[in-house]
Amino acid sequence: MSGVKAALKGAKAALDSQKYDDAIEQANRALATDPQSYHANVFLGLAHEKQSRNDESEKCYRAAIAIKERDPLAWQGLITLYEKQPRQKLESYHEAATRLASLYMEEDDKTRCQTVVDKYTVFVKKCGTRKQYIKSLDILLPSSPLYDFLEGRILQPSYTYTKIAELTEQEEKETINSEIGLRRTRLGARIDQVTVEVKREVLQKSDLESIYQNIIDWTNDDEARRLYEEKLLQHALETLEAVAEPNKAPIRERVRSLANGMVIIKHPFLLAWKITFEWNDCEHLQDLDVSLLREYVLFFPEDGLSKVLQGFLDSEISPFPGIEDQQQEKSAEDNTVAIAGQELLFRMTDGLEDVSTSAFANRLVAEYYLYLDEYKSAAEIARVAERQLEIEIRKSGLLLNGNSDAIKIILGTALIQYQAPLHHSEARSIFDDILLRKPTNNLALIGIGLILEEQDDYESALNFLDQALAQNNDTKIKAEAAWCRALNGDFQASLSTLESCLLELEGSDLRTKNLRAQILYRTGMCLWDIDTSRRARKDRTGAYACFLKSLQADVNFAPAYTSLGVYYADYAKDRGRARKCFQKAFELSSLEVEAAERLAEAFAKTGEWDLVEVVAQRVVDSGKTRPAPGSKKQGIGWPYAALGVVQLNTQQYAKSIVSFQSAIRIKSDDYHSWVGLGEGYHNSGRYIAATKAFEQSQKIEDSVKDKELGETWFSKYMLANVKRELGQYDEAIVDYRIVLSSRPQEFGVSIALLQCLIERAKYNIELGFFGRAIESAEEALEAATEICEWRNNAFNLWKAVGDGCSVYSHAQAYSESFPTDKVRRLLENGFDTHQYGILENLDGTGEATLKSLSSDQNSLSPLEVCCKATILAHKRTLHYCIQDHHARAVAWYNLGWAEYRASACCSSEAQLTPKGKALKFIRASVQCFKKAIELEASNSEFWNSLGVATSRLNPKVSQHSFIRSLHLNEKNARVWTNLGALYLVQHDHQLANDAFTRAQSVDPDYAQAWLGQGLLAAELNESTEARNLFTHAFEIADASTTLLRQQYAASTFDHLLSSPLASARITNLLQPLLALDQLSKITIGKTSFQHLASLFQERLGKHSDAIVNLDLVCSKLEAEYETSESAGVLLRFAQAKADLSRAQLAEKRYDMAVENAETALDLLAEEDDKKATIRQIRLSAYLTGGLANYYKGSIDRSVEMFKIALEESEGSADTVCLLSQVLWARNGEQERNLAREQLLDSAEKHVGHVSVTLLLGAIAILDEDHETIEAIHDDLQCLRTEETITPSQRSQITQVLTAIASVHRGENGRKLAQISEAASAIMLGPSQPHGWGQLAKLTQDAHVAQTAVLTALISAPPRGDLDAEDLCRAYTGTASPDDARSAIMLAPWIADGWKSLAYPDS
């Protein structure tokens, strides 16, 4: 034992001298001897602590405590150790401090006990978290075992609880905010949902309510107690709103108990009072505790709910007597009552702004609005009250059925009157829902009765009103039921009931006066309908007197004014008073539809469309126009129709369409609405819809008598306008004439017919139907003549006449049919001809010109006549638009174009003089365009026209005009194209290209832009690009473009000359020929293009047409040469003669062919042979003459001409072939040898020439020259693989090879060889029909023959170049009668088809 003590002394000494390792050694030595040594463990723990070995130190102290638990030394060591670890050991510190303080308490040492407690709490506050500090304060609470011992030496519990409450509030607030911030970032999280979830989690675990309750229990401060009672209520309410429904009941009862307690003791805490009012399930306002209402107003005078309650308590709807003068009568003057009501309403609405979330406040205000008949406001606020009540029910978990039903009753009652009957279905559903739960609810019964009455279901309405009357014998209900009987036709019974109701009315308040006025009005209506005779209705002692009494009772009762207006309008014949009555009625109530309709009619008759719109729009806004779903009542469509008419007049076409559609939905057979709808569609450019609308209106016409609809011609007229806009001119013209048959002098329709005829003529010109265009123009001039008989002073009339005359200048081939005498008489009709002298000094067109327009003594050409007639007609338009600024500008513009058109058509007058001055028509057109610009400088078309007119006179002015036009409208493709053409004429290629490109981007379908680009490419020698551009422009252009057709045809012909394969394709010839044919109708005198057309016709095999054209060309050129004696004309004449002889040769007119060929050669006899053109003409004439002589039988002359042709062509292979064939045909050995020599020489010069090789092969076969045959065979095998040969040449090669294969073989060998050659041809060209046809002919195989037909069809146009004859031969190979008929249809001039049909088995 002495060893233990020595070790302990050594350890103590080592600790004092801070030799902690020695102390540890000595303490361990003591423990080795005595493991239960208390002080050894304490010394060891202290030594470890000094060396910061905290874990070993704590174990030693715990070991010492286990030995002597009630010894404070080890606990003190632990506390000292824990204070060195402030963050890690606060929980253990709490235990140690509590145990040590308890030991001092047992020792009755209050000072040391308090010191431990104070030191602990201060340390935790400094080093611990908020939660740890709150826990540390538990040691000071009454629940602590130390509280009784230290009472008086520590803080009073209320202060401790207060501190804990403050800390807990902060902790919960931070927890809620941090959790919301964390969770709201999750995918799909919503802030409102996250907030509710976090609050629910935190508040359900919260101890604040118990803390608040402890503060209330322990505090001696009444203000503090009240404060924490309020906080307790607030926290409980927040918890109630956060928790889920199953857990709400106990919390709700606690909240209700707390709130009621505060109200009972009159504690002025706003939340408690509001909870009491909001949670009070009170269906009827009289069930409220008025003392609580007044106390609330007293406690919270500035609160919004107080203002609402004060207004409610002072209003007429309050069921409670006033505090002062409870039985005081209200002022008898209506004005005073109205002012008081306005003040109350202002007070209540002002308060409602502050408590807009209060269902109770919204209910009271809605109730008052309903009392004031402010149904819109009542409905809106009732909806707000309903929403807020739902929120309150969701938060509190209460049912509140009474409040809900009361608010729904207010809403339903307001919806009955607000925009009736728009909301009747909603109101009906509200009342039905209430009656399911409360079948005797009086207000719901009345509401359904009123709805049914509005829907004209009077029997059902009476049923509900009688049920309500059985429960409450109210005068108002009785009067409503009586009126419902009157509406149902029982006027007498209704009258007696209404009279009895009048006797029951007492008092002079506003509502009583309103009811009296209503009953008097309804009494008057019963009298009005009981006796409908005119005498009875005019009686001023009957219904009229009741209406006046109604207004005496209530001067603002609108229906009485309407009835008085009807009386004055229909019976007293006093329109002024009637109008005033209707205006007053409609001012007072927008539901007075009859008054509104009569007002709208009156305003429409006087043209006051603004007032019509105001009246109609107000009726529409009232909601009275549309019946409720399921109602028997017919809707009111006239306001929508009236709005549509007004909107048509103000050009608001989209809105007018909507208005007329609304009218038609209400009344589907409203004729005038259908017409208005069609007009709206027409003016909006929706022509298909307009057509359907007008067609529907005409269906209504057919089903209704005309007298009921009034005049119906307008719909037919508008339908014709629509068809005209759609391009259905023929149908439109028929409809116009139908209208004119009933209204022959309707000027608007007559002008529309005239303009439609002109538009049809222009449309036909665009399509290329020039004959139809001329017919339409003739009809237009005839129609203009008829109009002039009764009216000749209209701008549009003479513009149309000018346009009709100009049609002949656009179809010049028909200009000779221009009705000169008719037009002259038309221009002279009712007009001073001296006034045609406008610009006569420039264009030379005036009175003298008009007199010269006679078919008998006219020295002008037909084209000049129609151009000058056009100018005169447009000059006349200037005299009928003096007052119209815009029309005058347009008239000058039209005249300018007429002058410019004349300059273009009359070629002799459209050229520039040598001095560079423009001649008369161009000068006149420039002056016209300038005058148009002076009148309307902002019109881009006028500037464009000036640019066109001055393009050849002054390019700078022209450029300025085009740029000015583009400044006004840069998206005009026509102007960009004109500017590009100007640049092109001035050889500025880059600017021209930019302008044409811009035009194409603005309007890709504008053909002239592509034409300009093509002209630019042609000028730059890009022939392929130019041809492609001309082709594209031709495809998208109309038929009236002259220059485009010229360029397209010429460029295509040049391409065909350079490409034999293209020339062989028929499809490449048809479009150019069509263009030239249209060109011949558009212009006259273009012999070069007429000649070109004959060349296309020749290539198409239309030789007779080519002969006709060439005869005309020769005649014109001969006449021109006689006047000009030009060498160029002579050359063209010779060329035409040569081409004519070639066409006659094709038609087998050999004598005429020889004659014309000789003529061509004679004309060129003295010309320079070195010119390529002359040599070509001579060669053509010699070849044609040679062939013609050959077919005539003049072989010698033929050979002679061929020899000369051979010299002219310098040994041309084609000429050699023709000469060889003629020589061979003479059957002389010498001639045949000569033919062989010529062909052999040509074969050496022109290696690979197909015709030469074929002829040599044929001659070798006939001569049985095997050596030559082998050489020719090899050559032909090579030639048929070439891609440049035509299908016809390929077929000929196959035939020759087949013939070669059969030479010097037996019958079987010859056939096998022929089949082999045909098979080789198929292998080389499987898609070509000739090999298949040859094989089918040799094998007689039906399958092969059918394959030949299929390949032939594939190779036929437009997919290939196979001609009709080859396709015909393919069909004949099948030996089928149907195919034989097809062959005959394709080429009836080929005998093979007929033979196949006659001998199918041969």
Side-chain angles (χ1 to χ4, degrees):
M1 197 68 178
S2 59
V4 174
K5 289 180 178 181
L8 290 175
K9 287 180 181 180
K12 181 70 170 63
L15 287 171
D16 291 340
S17 59
Q18 297 183 357
K19 297 179 179 180
Y20 303 119
D21 292 334
D22 294 343
I24 292 171
E25 183 180 352
Q26 293 297 328
N28 285 329
R29 185 180 297 166
L31 287 173
T33 305
D34 183 8
Q36 295 298 317
S37 175
Y38 176 79
H39 288 92
N41 281 296
V42 171
F43 292 156
L44 183 58
L46 181 58
H48 283 305
E49 177 190 339
K50 294 299 183 180
Q51 290 186 336
S52 300
R53 298 173 181 172
N54 297 329
D55 293 338
E56 290 82 353
S57 176
E58 185 178 6
K59 290 178 181 178
C60 293
Y61 285 135
R62 290 291 182 184
I65 290 169
I67 297 170
K68 289 183 179 181
E69 185 178 0
R70 307 186 72 81
D71 192 318
L73 182 61
W75 291 108
Q76 291 173 351
L78 268 179
I79 288 174
T80 303
L81 177 64
Y82 291 152
E83 286 178 348
K84 292 183 178 181
Q85 308 174 63
R87 298 292 181 185
Q88 292 86 8
K89 297 296 183 179
L90 284 178
E91 295 294 332
S92 301
Y93 190 178
H94 178 78
E95 176 194 359
T98 303
R99 290 292 296 148
L100 181 59
S102 298
L103 292 176
Y104 289 143
M105 181 181 68
E106 292 174 1
E107 294 174 1
D108 197 21
D109 189 348
K110 292 185 177 181
T111 301
R112 296 175 72 181
C113 180
Q114 182 183 356
T115 301
V116 172
V117 171
D118 291 344
K119 183 179 179 182
Y120 165 64
T121 55
V122 170
F123 179 80
V124 175
K125 180 179 181 181
K126 178 181 178 182
C127 300
T129 63
R130 189 183 290 115
K131 284 186 177 181
Q132 291 169 336
Y133 181 49
I134 292 170
K135 185 176 181 182
S136 72
L137 293 177
D138 288 346
I139 203 170
L140 303 177
L141 296 176
S143 59
S144 171
L146 303 175
Y147 176 77
D148 293 337
F149 179 68
L150 296 175
E151 186 175 7
R153 299 177 70 92
I154 59 177
L155 290 173
Q156 187 183 358
S158 62
Y159 295 112
T160 305
Y161 278 120
T162 301
K163 186 64 175 177
I164 293 174
E166 292 174 354
L167 294 172
T168 306
E169 287 172 358
Q170 295 175 12
E171 183 66 24
E172 287 188 0
K173 184 178 180 180
E174 289 184 5
T175 302
I176 290 172
N177 291 337
S178 62
E179 283 296 318
I180 290 174
L182 180 63
R183 298 186 188 184
R184 69 181 296 180
T185 59
R186 295 175 181 174
L187 188 63
R190 298 199 311 269
I191 184 64
D192 53 345
Q193 183 179 358
V194 168
T195 302
V196 171
E197 291 175 355
V198 171
K199 283 188 174 182
R200 182 184 300 130
E201 293 174 4
V202 173
L203 293 177
Q204 282 182 327
K205 299 176 183 178
S206 175
D207 297 327
L208 270 178
E209 289 189 31
S210 62
I211 296 172
Y212 290 151
Q213 189 62 53
N214 286 322
I215 295 173
I216 295 167
D217 294 341
W218 283 95
T219 187
N220 296 321
D221 186 350
D222 289 340
E223 291 185 4
R225 183 180 295 108
R226 295 287 178 253
L227 174 63
Y228 281 97
E229 283 177 349
E230 293 172 2
K231 286 192 173 185
L232 176 60
L233 176 59
Q234 287 176 330
H235 192 276
L237 183 61
E238 289 180 5
T239 305
L240 175 64
E241 292 174 355
V243 299
E245 179 59 36
N247 303 321
K248 284 183 181 289
I251 304 174
R252 181 174 61 246
E253 293 307 315
R254 179 170 174 76
V255 172
R256 189 196 293 273
S257 175
L258 290 170
N260 288 340
M262 290 182 181
V263 172
I264 290 171
I265 65 174
K266 312 303 182 192
H267 175 52
F269 181 47
L270 186 62
L271 180 60
W273 288 80
K274 285 192 174 181
I275 289 173
T276 301
F277 289 143
E278 297 292 343
W279 289 12
N280 184 13
D281 191 17
C282 176
E283 184 173 358
H284 305 289
L285 294 178
Q286 57 265 31
D287 296 336
L288 293 170
D289 188 344
V290 67
S291 61
L292 290 180
L293 301 180
R294 298 192 188 283
E295 287 169 357
Y296 184 91
V297 174
L298 183 63
F299 287 145
F300 315 104
E302 298 302 322
D303 182 65
L305 182 58
S306 293
K307 297 177 183 179
V308 174
L309 287 173
Q310 187 63 57
F312 164 70
L313 293 172
D314 293 343
S315 69
E316 301 89 336
I317 65 171
S318 173
F320 312 111
I323 297 176
E324 298 179 358
D325 226 352
Q326 295 183 2
Q327 303 301 325
Q328 181 180 6
E329 295 183 0
K330 297 180 181 179
S331 173
E333 296 184 8
D334 296 338
N335 193 31
T336 304
V337 173
I339 294 174
Q342 291 175 2
E343 291 177 351
L344 291 174
L345 183 60
F346 176 77
R347 185 189 307 167
M348 295 177 76
T349 53
D350 183 46
L352 186 62
E353 292 179 0
D354 298 332
V355 288
S356 58
T357 59
S358 170
F360 181 57
N362 279 286
R363 173 186 174 184
L364 294 179
V365 177
E367 188 85 41
Y368 192 58
Y369 270 122
L370 187 62
Y371 171 77
L372 296 177
D373 295 338
E374 294 288 342
Y375 301 113
K376 178 181 179 181
S377 300
E380 291 175 352
I381 296 177
R383 292 188 191 277
V384 175
E386 192 175 29
R387 288 196 297 271
Q388 296 303 325
L389 186 64
E390 290 176 356
I391 293 172
E392 194 63 43
I393 290 172
R394 187 168 62 251
K395 288 181 178 179
S396 65
L398 292 168
L399 295 179
L400 302 178
N401 288 329
N403 286 344
S404 178
D405 289 346
I407 293 172
K408 287 180 178 179
I409 288 291
I410 296 171
L411 177 60
T413 306
L415 291 177
I416 293 175
Q417 302 298 333
Y418 173 52
Q419 292 186 334
L422 183 62
H423 305 289
H424 280 186
S425 58
E426 182 183 357
R428 177 67 185 269
S429 64
I430 290 173
F431 293 135
D432 286 340
D433 179 62
I434 293 173
L435 289 177
L436 285 175
R437 292 178 281 104
K438 300 174 182 178
T440 60
N441 188 291
N442 197 264
L443 294 175
L445 291 170
I446 295 172
I448 293 179
L450 293 175
I451 292 171
L452 293 171
E453 179 184 322
E454 179 66 27
Q455 295 177 357
D456 295 349
D457 191 356
Y458 303 119
E459 293 183 1
S460 301
L462 273 172
N463 181 29
F464 281 95
L465 291 174
D466 288 342
Q467 292 181 48
L469 195 60
Q471 299 178 48
N472 184 1
N473 192 20
D474 183 70
T475 303
K476 186 174 182 180
I477 302 174
K478 187 188 298 183
E480 194 63 46
W483 178 241
C484 193
R485 288 189 177 87
L487 294 175
N488 200 31
D490 191 357
F491 302 112
Q492 197 63 50
S494 174
L495 180 61
S496 60
T497 305
L498 291 172
E499 290 174 346
S500 66
C501 290
L502 281 174
L503 298 176
E504 295 176 5
L505 289 178
E506 296 179 357
S508 58
D509 61 280
L510 183 61
R511 296 189 71 81
T512 303
K513 287 183 177 181
N514 290 340
L515 182 58
R516 181 179 289 110
Q518 185 185 66
I519 294 175
L520 284 168
Y521 162 75
R522 291 177 174 179
T523 301
M525 290 305 299
C526 288
L527 292 172
W528 185 270
D529 290 325
I530 286 174
D531 188 352
T532 59
S533 65
R534 186 174 184 83
R535 182 182 59 81
R537 289 189 171 181
K538 288 183 67 175
D539 185 6
R540 289 180 176 263
T541 61
Y544 175 79
C546 290
F547 297 147
L548 287 180
K549 290 178 182 178
S550 174
L551 292 177
Q552 290 171 359
D554 183 1
V555 72
N556 293 324
F557 190 68
Y561 283 108
T562 301
S563 298
L564 280 176
V566 174
Y567 172 81
Y568 286 127
D570 297 347
Y571 298 97
K573 302 301 180 183
D574 190 342
R575 293 184 179 178
R577 285 188 176 181
R579 184 163 181 172
K580 290 180 180 178
C581 288
F582 290 137
Q583 286 179 336
K584 184 65 176 178
F586 193 61
E587 286 174 5
L588 292 171
S589 174
S590 60
L591 300 179
E592 292 304 307
V593 178
E594 184 175 0
E597 185 174 7
R598 297 208 179 210
L599 275 178
E601 290 176 357
F603 291 143
K605 288 178 181 178
T606 57
E608 300 174 86
W609 295 108
D610 293 342
L611 296 177
V612 173
E613 182 179 16
V614 170
V615 171
Q617 188 62 55
R618 192 173 177 214
V619 175
V620 170
D621 294 339
S622 70
K624 191 76 173 177
T625 56
R626 296 184 182 276
S631 172
K632 299 178 181 179
K633 196 168 186 177
Q634 178 68 36
I636 303 170
W638 70 262
Y640 295 101
L643 279 176
V645 173
V646 173
Q647 288 155 353
L648 281 178
N649 289 333
T650 57
Q651 298 182 356
Q652 301 178 29
Y653 302 122
K655 292 183 178 179
S656 71
I657 291 171
V658 175
S659 298
F660 285 123
Q661 285 176 339
S662 300
I664 290 169
R665 290 191 189 101
I666 294 172
K667 188 177 180 182
S668 60
D669 59 346
D670 186 353
Y671 170 78
H672 298 289
S673 293
W674 279 107
V675 174
L677 178 63
E679 189 172 358
Y681 280 135
H682 170 265
N683 293 332
S684 299
R686 300 166 62 180
Y687 301 119
I688 301 299
T691 302
K692 294 179 180 178
F694 286 126
E695 288 175 350
Q696 181 63 31
S697 69
Q698 292 190 347
K699 289 181 182 178
I700 298 174
E701 283 182 32
D702 297 337
S703 61
V704 181
K705 296 180 180 179
D706 291 343
K707 292 182 179 180
E708 297 180 15
L709 298 178
E711 294 184 353
T712 59
W713 64 270
F714 185 74
S715 67
K716 294 183 178 66
Y717 165 67
M718 287 302 300
L719 180 58
N721 286 342
V722 173
K723 291 178 179 178
R724 172 180 159 194
E725 294 290 349
L726 289 172
Q728 301 172 3
Y729 298 111
D730 294 337
E731 297 179 17
I733 290 168
V734 170
D735 288 344
Y736 283 135
R737 285 174 172 161
I738 291 174
V739 175
L740 288 173
S741 64
S742 59
R743 301 181 66 87
Q745 292 190 353
E746 188 66 44
F747 181 71
V749 182
S750 299
I751 289 296
L753 172 61
L754 178 58
Q755 291 173 337
C756 186
L757 289 167
I758 296 299
E759 289 175 10
R760 184 176 69 173
K762 293 179 178 179
Y763 179 68
N764 283 324
I765 286 177
E766 292 177 357
L767 294 180
F769 300 138
F770 301 103
R772 296 180 187 178
I774 295 300
E775 291 176 1
S776 187
E778 290 176 354
E779 292 182 32
L781 293 174
E782 184 66 34
T785 303
E786 294 176 2
I787 296 172
C788 282
E789 292 177 359
W790 50 276
R791 184 172 177 179
N792 62 358
N793 60 347
F795 171 87
N796 289 335
L797 169 64
W798 293 105
K799 180 185 179 301
V801 171
D803 291 342
C805 294
S806 69
V807 170
Y808 289 86
S809 68
H810 288 89
Q812 297 177 10
Y814 299 89
S815 58
E816 294 183 356
S817 63
F818 183 73
T820 306
D821 294 335
K822 181 186 294 184
V823 173
R824 180 178 55 78
R825 289 193 298 271
L826 181 62
L827 293 171
E828 292 174 347
N829 187 341
F831 190 69
D832 183 5
T833 56
H834 292 291
Q835 297 184 27
Y836 283 121
I838 299 173
L839 300 180
E840 187 175 4
N841 60 326
L842 293 177
D843 61 7
T845 304
E847 182 181 10
T849 305
L850 177 62
K851 292 179 179 179
S852 67
L853 295 182
S854 173
S855 57
D856 297 331
Q857 50 184 357
N858 190 0
S859 60
L860 301 175
S861 68
L863 184 58
E864 290 175 326
V865 170
C866 66
C867 289
K868 293 193 174 184
T870 302
I871 294 173
L872 291 172
H874 284 298
K875 284 184 177 181
R876 188 163 179 175
T877 61
L878 290 168
H879 296 279
Y880 301 127
C881 57
I882 297 175
Q883 304 300 325
D884 191 334
H885 188 81
H886 174 69
R888 191 164 181 78
V890 173
W892 281 112
Y893 171 76
N894 293 334
L895 178 58
W897 275 119
E899 299 278 6
Y900 190 82
R901 181 65 185 169
S903 72
C905 293
C906 304
S907 58
S908 62
E909 300 176 5
Q911 304 297 326
L912 295 175
T913 63
K915 295 182 180 181
K917 297 181 180 179
L919 290 181
K920 50 186 180 180
F921 290 121
I922 293 183
R923 290 201 303 269
S925 69
V926 171
Q927 290 300 317
C928 292
F929 293 139
K930 286 182 177 179
K931 288 182 179 294
I933 291 171
E934 289 174 2
L935 292 169
E936 194 173 329
S938 61
N939 193 311
S940 63
E941 293 296 332
F942 294 174
W943 286 101
N944 173 56
S945 304
L946 180 61
V948 172
T950 58
S951 60
R952 290 186 296 170
L953 304 177
N954 193 329
K956 291 183 179 180
V957 173
S958 178
Q959 181 188 29
H960 170 75
S961 301
F962 289 139
I963 292 175
R964 180 64 179 170
S965 177
L966 291 172
H967 174 73
L968 296 171
N969 180 14
E970 65 176 355
K971 294 185 177 181
N972 192 326
R974 184 185 301 106
V975 183
W976 281 109
T977 303
N978 291 337
L979 181 61
L982 177 65
Y983 289 142
L984 181 60
V985 171
Q986 300 301 318
H987 305 290
D988 194 333
H989 298 155
Q990 182 59 47
L991 289 178
N993 181 68
D994 294 343
F996 290 136
T997 303
R998 183 65 181 272
Q1000 293 161 9
S1001 65
V1002 170
D1003 185 3
D1005 293 330
Y1006 186 57
Q1008 303 290 353
W1010 299 97
L1011 171 62
Q1013 197 89 25
L1015 292 172
L1016 176 60
E1019 186 165 331
L1020 297 175
N1021 295 322
E1022 298 177 0
S1023 57
T1024 302
E1025 178 68 14
R1027 186 183 70 258
N1028 292 335
L1029 289 167
F1030 291 145
T1031 302
H1032 177 67
F1034 177 77
E1035 290 172 351
I1036 62 175
D1038 56 50
S1040 61
T1041 51
T1042 304
L1043 180 59
L1044 173 58
R1045 273 151 178 71
Q1046 294 174 354
Q1047 295 298 324
Y1048 171 66
S1051 63
T1052 303
F1053 189 77
D1054 291 341
H1055 172 63
L1056 296 178
L1057 290 179
S1058 61
S1059 177
L1061 286 177
S1063 181
R1065 185 174 296 178
I1066 296 176
T1067 52
N1068 292 337
L1069 305 173
L1070 294 177
Q1071 292 285 9
L1073 184 59
L1074 173 63
L1076 291 169
D1077 181 65
Q1078 292 174 343
L1079 185 64
S1080 67
K1081 303 294 192 303
I1082 299 172
T1083 60
I1084 55 177
K1086 302 289 185 179
T1087 55
S1088 56
F1089 290 98
Q1090 195 170 8
H1091 191 171
L1092 182 61
S1094 67
L1095 297 179
F1096 278 105
Q1097 291 167 341
E1098 181 183 7
R1099 280 163 173 74
L1100 282 170
K1102 296 184 176 182
H1103 303 292
S1104 58
D1105 294 339
I1107 291 171
V1108 172
N1109 273 335
L1110 288 170
D1111 278 333
L1112 291 174
V1113 170
C1114 291
S1115 300
K1116 292 178 181 179
L1117 290 175
E1118 186 175 7
E1120 184 178 354
Y1121 179 74
E1122 289 176 357
T1123 57
S1124 65
E1125 295 186 358
S1126 168
V1129 175
L1130 179 64
L1131 183 62
R1132 290 170 56 196
F1133 178 64
Q1135 184 175 5
K1137 281 293 185 179
D1139 294 340
L1140 176 61
S1141 68
R1142 189 170 61 251
Q1144 290 169 338
L1145 172 64
E1147 282 290 293
K1148 300 181 181 180
R1149 303 178 187 179
Y1150 305 123
D1151 293 333
M1152 298 177 67
V1154 170
E1155 179 184 350
N1156 285 311
E1158 296 285 354
T1159 302
L1161 292 171
D1162 293 339
L1163 291 172
L1164 298 177
E1166 299 179 359
E1167 296 295 328
D1168 187 3
D1169 293 345
K1170 295 181 180 180
K1171 292 183 179 180
T1173 305
I1174 296 176
R1175 294 180 63 185
Q1176 290 176 356
I1177 297 173
R1178 289 170 59 87
L1179 176 61
S1180 174
Y1182 277 122
L1183 290 174
T1184 305
L1187 288 172
N1189 280 305
Y1190 169 73
Y1191 288 114
K1192 278 179 60 180
S1194 303
I1195 304 298
D1196 294 336
R1197 179 58 180 161
S1198 172
V1199 172
E1200 179 183 351
M1201 296 189 78
F1202 276 125
K1203 288 181 179 180
I1204 300 174
L1206 190 61
E1207 295 176 1
E1208 290 280 351
S1209 65
E1210 297 179 353
S1212 169
D1214 292 325
T1215 306
V1216 170
C1217 290
L1218 289 174
L1219 176 59
S1220 300
Q1221 288 173 320
V1222 172
L1223 290 172
W1224 192 271
R1226 295 187 66 178
N1227 288 325
E1229 189 61 31
Q1230 183 178 356
E1231 287 81 358
R1232 291 189 176 187
N1233 289 332
L1234 181 58
R1236 292 188 187 94
E1237 293 175 2
Q1238 293 289 341
L1239 287 172
L1240 289 172
D1241 291 341
S1242 181
E1244 293 179 359
K1245 295 178 181 179
H1246 305 93
V1247 179
H1249 193 277
V1250 177
S1251 298
V1252 172
T1253 308
L1254 288 172
L1255 285 175
L1256 285 173
I1259 292 173
I1261 292 172
L1262 293 175
D1263 292 343
E1264 296 184 358
D1265 185 351
H1266 297 288
E1267 183 179 350
T1268 305
I1269 287 174
E1270 291 179 2
I1272 294 299
H1273 181 273
D1274 295 338
D1275 290 342
L1276 290 177
Q1277 289 286 5
C1278 295
L1279 281 175
R1280 70 174 176 177
T1281 61
E1282 297 289 337
E1283 295 181 357
T1284 57
I1285 64 174
T1286 65
S1288 177
Q1289 291 174 332
R1290 195 182 302 277
S1291 176
Q1292 292 174 355
I1293 291 173
T1294 302
Q1295 291 176 358
V1296 172
L1297 286 174
T1298 304
I1300 290 174
S1302 62
V1303 175
H1304 296 303
R1305 296 175 184 258
E1307 187 65 28
N1308 292 333
R1310 184 183 300 112
K1311 188 170 185 179
L1312 290 175
Q1314 291 173 344
I1315 293 174
S1316 176
E1317 287 297 334
S1320 299
I1322 293 172
M1323 181 182 68
L1324 290 171
S1327 62
Q1328 297 297 325
H1330 304 99
W1332 291 103
Q1334 192 70 22
L1335 184 62
K1337 186 176 181 181
L1338 292 170
T1339 60
Q1340 300 295 317
D1341 189 295
H1343 176 72
V1344 175
Q1346 197 63 39
T1347 304
V1349 172
L1350 294 175
T1351 54
L1353 289 173
I1354 294 173
S1355 301
R1359 290 172 290 184
D1361 303 323
L1362 194 71
D1363 58 22
E1365 294 181 359
D1366 289 332
L1367 183 58
C1368 168
R1369 293 188 179 94
Y1371 270 115
T1372 59
T1374 63
S1376 167
D1378 291 339
D1379 288 342
R1381 294 186 188 96
S1382 299
I1384 293 170
M1385 182 188 70
L1386 286 167
W1389 61 89
I1390 299 297
D1392 293 353
W1394 297 101
K1395 291 179 180 179
S1396 178
L1397 183 62
Y1399 309 105
D1401 297 330
S1402 61

